[in-house]
């Protein structure tokens, strides 16, 4: 869609066929699952009688439409329509789950569909863009700036749809802090923030240097890190679909929340702004111990939240991020603080809730 590259069209045809094959395998598997509970049913019964079956059938139909349009000779409108059909095919599966378009779940199904479609375009587009510019550097000057704009749109849609989905799935911000489901949502948000920063690095360090011949290689190097983080985010999304929102309101800080607020976000802050507080530059071990004490207080004692309620939770959150920032900035060039954290963190973290 973004550049006239026959190789990309062949890749799209191959992946479309693979996707269609997976749909063809999923229907008999779904039939077997339904037959266990209701007796023997046919594929037609699965498609007409279940939301998941209709979603799979719709996905297969859209994949067929996309493949036919991709096979049409170089006509721009056919590529646009093929892209629309394939993005819709990606967005359909959430409608077959517990958040399907029925009653109060309509907004959740729509948000998750948008979220998955935007993330898929972003991740798949990044992989194809890097493969193309590395194999054919003449495409870089046109493809990279265009994909940069598309990636920005995908980031905005992914973040907004993810925020809507999280707000519908969790009862309050405290549930994000105190439940396993909420802490994984926070971890995904942290990974998204890392991806935004890496995308900005792509723009500043590589795309803005075009037509420099070294730009494609630098794009690919940064993209390799991005794709690993995208894989972690997608893996956490799979976990979220399996565990579902907690029926019990959250309380306190879950262990993963402590790691995200005390390590993940501070490391991102230091990456964005490397200059830390000079007082701790020579004392990484001391800064690490301060972070461990903050983790014990917030995750184990919780004195401030017990006394001050919501205000205390806000203060404890700021305490975690601040102590983490001190430890991360002090450990940039010396590993002593990292050693202390590696030894002390398993002890400082509270046990997960039963």
């Amino acid at each position: 869609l973004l550049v006239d590259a026959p190789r990309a069209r062949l890749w799209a045809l191959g992946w479309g066929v693979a996707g269609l094959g997976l749909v063809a395998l999923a229907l008999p598997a779904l039939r077997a699952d339904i037959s266990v509970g209701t007796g023997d049913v046919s594929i037609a019964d699965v498609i007409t009688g279940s939301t998941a079956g209709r979603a799979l059938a719709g996905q297969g139909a859209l994949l067929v439409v996309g493949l036919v349009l991709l096979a049409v000779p170089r006509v721009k409108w056919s590529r646009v329509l093929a892209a629309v059909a394939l993005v819709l095919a990606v967005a359909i599966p959430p409608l077959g789950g517990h958040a399907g378009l029925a009653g109060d779940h309509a907004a959740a199904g729509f948000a998750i569909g948008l979220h998955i479609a935007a993330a898929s375009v972003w991740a798949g587009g990044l992989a194809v863009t890097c493969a193309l510019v590395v194999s054919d550097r003449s495409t870089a000057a046109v493809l990279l700036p265009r994909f940069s704009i598309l990636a920005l749109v995908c980031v905005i849609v992914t973040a907004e749809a993810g925020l809507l989905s999280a707000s519908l799935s969790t009862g309050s911000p405290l549930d994000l802090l105190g439940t396993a489901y909420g802490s994984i949502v926070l971890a995904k948000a942290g990974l998204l923030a890392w991806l935004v920063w890496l995308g900005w690095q792509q723009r500043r360090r590589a795309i803005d240097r075009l037509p420099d011949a070294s730009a494609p290689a630098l794009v690919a190097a940064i993209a390799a890190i991005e794709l690993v983080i995208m894989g972690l985010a997608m893996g956490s999304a799979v976990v979220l679909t399996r565990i579902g929102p907690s029926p019990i309101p959250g309380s306190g800080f879950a262990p993963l929340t402590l790691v995200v607020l005390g390590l993940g976000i501070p490391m991102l802050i230091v990456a964005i702004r490397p200059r830390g507080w000079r007082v701790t530059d020579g004392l990484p071990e001391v800064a690490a111990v301060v972070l461990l004490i903050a983790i014990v207080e917030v995750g184990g004692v919780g004195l401030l939240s017990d006394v001050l309620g919501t205000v205390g939770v806000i203060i404890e959150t700021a305490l975690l991020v601040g102590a983490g920032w001190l430890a991360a900035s002090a450990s940039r060039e010396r590993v002593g603080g990292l050693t202390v954290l590696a030894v002390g963190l398993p002890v400082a973290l509270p046990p997960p809730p039963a």
Side-chain angles (χ1 to χ4, degrees), residues 109-345:
F110 182 72
I112 295 173
L114 270 180
H115 185 72
I116 292 177
S120 299
V121 171
W122 186 13
L126 178 64
V128 173
T129 296
C130 290
L132 278 176
V133 298
V134 170
S135 62
D136 183 3
R137 299 196 174 194
S138 64
T139 63
V142 174
L143 181 56
L144 289 178
R146 290 179 179 178
F147 178 72
S148 179
I149 296 173
L150 178 63
L152 177 61
V153 174
C154 289
V155 168
I156 295 171
V157 175
T158 300
E160 290 292 339
L163 180 62
L164 175 58
S165 178
S167 66
L168 293 171
S169 301
T170 55
S172 70
L174 295 180
D175 290 338
L176 288 176
L177 300 175
T179 63
Y181 185 91
S183 63
I184 295 175
V185 171
L186 283 177
K188 276 191 66 182
L191 292 172
L192 178 63
W194 273 100
L195 288 171
V196 170
W197 178 73
L198 287 169
W200 177 68
Q201 291 295 304
Q202 289 270 36
R203 184 80 198 186
R204 183 176 66 87
R205 296 172 56 189
I207 297 176
D208 287 349
R209 292 172 55 188
L210 289 172
D212 192 314
S214 65
L218 183 56
V219 166
I222 299 176
I225 303 173
E226 288 184 274
L227 289 170
V228 170
I229 296 177
M230 286 177 176
L232 292 173
M234 292 178 180
S236 64
V238 173
V239 175
L240 289 176
T241 63
R242 294 296 180 264
I243 65 175
S246 174
I248 303 173
S251 60
F253 288 72
L256 181 56
T257 301
L258 296 171
V259 173
V260 172
L261 295 178
L263 293 177
I265 293 177
M267 289 170 62
L268 177 60
I269 295 173
V270 172
I272 295 174
R273 189 177 178 84
R275 180 175 296 178
W277 193 25
R278 293 185 179 277
V279 174
T280 62
D281 281 352
L283 303 169
E285 298 84 0
V286 174
V289 170
V290 171
L291 173 58
L292 293 175
I293 293 173
I295 289 175
V296 170
E297 196 290 320
V298 174
V301 180
L303 178 62
L304 292 175
S305 58
D306 288 342
V307 174
L308 301 176
T310 303
V311 175
V313 172
I314 296 173
I315 295 174
E316 287 179 337
T317 301
L319 176 64
L320 270 178
V321 175
W325 171 68
L326 290 178
S329 61
S331 301
R332 282 184 297 114
E333 298 178 358
R334 295 179 58 182
V335 299
L338 298 178
T339 303
V340 172
L341 286 174
V343 174
L345 191 60

